Amino acid sequence: MLRQLNARRFFLLLLVTTCLFLSTTAVPSIAAQGLTDVVTLSVNAGYDGYFRSNNWLPLRIEIENNGDDLTGRIVVRPETSGSGITNTFSTPVNIASGSSQSLFLYITARSNATRVRVELLSDEGDVVGSEDANLRSIAGRDRLYVVVSQAAAGSVIDLAEVKSGGYEAYQANWSIANLPDHAPALNAVNALVFNDVDTGTLSNDQRITLREWVTNGGHLIVTGGAAWQPTAAGLRDLLPLIPDNSLTAEAADITPLLQFGGD
């Protein structure tokens, strides 16, 4: 009888232990389900990482969702991004299963910021994806040039040596997709150069942003050359002339222009 009672107690104890184990493992967390593996983020921060303290800087974020439909928000938080990011910034996200999405988040940072962490939070508050991007602050009187081009890296205009007053100069190379849809995000830029790129693909919001930025004093440079037609296609209302033809000149024919430029 005693042996039967002990056996029953042992069986009951085993049953309770098994139930407790199942209760703690039967419903895995978001991370355990592998959502962090099926939702991926990529971040292009600032102007190839450069930014000016307390100016708006754009974060272009690419999201790829290989899991279920997802509703949540993109967030940058001081507690995860470290010093230099003093406020929380967020924007809502609704992305279907098997799709990708590109969006902008605009933030500000202090000069001591060296990185920013972008997180994707579900409506339940779970972190289902994150990505870090490096930041580098530049001084208020340093020059910042942004060149928008689809040319090969080796043939993109190099403006890093165009300095003024002993201050440094920096260049960011962008594709059309990097252009923000919020004009204040370009206030940190000294000059925006379009070179060998099809501006006809600019979105309406991007065109409005450029027009507003130029109207408020932004310096826009549009190059000619062999690709003058696609380069000017989406910017005609911002140009001082409407190009309709091109001529090829020998170096000797532009000597006065070279002299005027100091060469």
Side-chain angles (χ1 to χ4, degrees):
M1 183 68 178
L2 182 58
R3 289 182 178 178
Q4 291 179 345
L5 183 60
N6 288 337
R8 289 177 181 176
R9 288 177 178 175
F10 175 76
F11 177 76
L12 180 60
L13 178 61
L14 180 62
L15 180 61
V16 171
T17 302
T18 302
C19 290
L20 289 173
F21 175 77
L22 290 175
S23 67
T24 58
T25 60
V27 183
S29 65
I30 292 289
Q33 291 176 6
L35 282 182
T36 53
D37 295 328
V38 296
V39 178
T40 58
L41 301 180
S42 63
V43 180
N44 190 308
Y47 315 91
D48 277 352
Y50 298 119
F51 76 99
R52 294 192 199 272
S53 175
N54 297 320
N55 278 251
W56 288 109
L57 69 94
L59 301 177
R60 179 171 170 261
I61 303 158
E62 296 281 348
I63 309 171
E64 185 174 348
N65 180 20
N66 294 312
D68 297 331
D69 293 350
L70 179 62
T71 301
R73 55 198 174 103
I74 288 288
V75 178
V76 168
R77 300 182 288 177
E79 57 266 33
T80 56
S81 291
S83 61
I85 308 296
T86 58
N87 296 301
T88 296
F89 305 89
S90 69
T91 188
V93 171
N94 190 343
I95 181 168
S97 173
S99 65
S100 59
Q101 183 175 336
S102 176
L103 56 87
F104 283 98
L105 177 64
Y106 301 100
I107 70 171
T108 57
R110 292 182 177 175
S111 58
N112 60 330
T114 59
R115 71 175 183 89
V116 59
R117 173 168 294 179
V118 176
E119 298 173 301
L120 175 56
L121 305 185
S122 68
D123 281 342
E124 294 73 30
D126 295 298
V127 178
V128 298
S130 68
E131 182 71 14
D132 287 4
N134 293 326
L135 295 175
R136 180 182 175 184
S137 176
I138 63 175
R141 299 185 68 176
D142 287 342
R143 312 294 290 178
L144 176 60
Y145 306 108
V146 174
V147 177
V148 182
S149 179
Q150 61 194 21
S155 59
V156 172
I157 295 172
D158 184 4
L159 299 174
E161 295 303 319
V162 184
K163 304 177 183 180
S164 175
Y167 293 92
E168 294 298 323
Y170 302 92
Q171 177 174 324
N173 297 319
W174 274 1
S175 67
I176 285 284
N178 289 111
L179 277 167
D181 54 9
H182 184 57
L186 292 175
N187 287 348
V189 178
N190 291 105
L192 186 61
V193 182
F194 285 85
N195 173 61
D196 192 10
V197 64
D198 185 4
T199 61
T201 62
L202 287 167
S203 71
N204 187 56
D205 286 341
Q206 288 174 320
R207 294 173 195 239
I208 292 172
T209 292
L210 284 172
R211 187 179 302 112
E212 182 179 339
W213 178 70
V214 171
T215 301
N216 290 329
H219 297 285
L220 177 66
I221 301 172
V222 181
T223 67
W228 67 271
Q229 287 179 302
T231 302
L235 302 172
R236 291 177 178 269
D237 60 333
L238 296 176
L239 300 179
L241 56 86
I242 299 178
D244 60 6
N245 201 352
S246 65
L247 295 174
T248 300
E250 298 294 335
D253 297 332
I254 59 171
T255 298
L257 181 61
L258 295 175
Q259 292 173 342
F260 177 77
D263 190 343

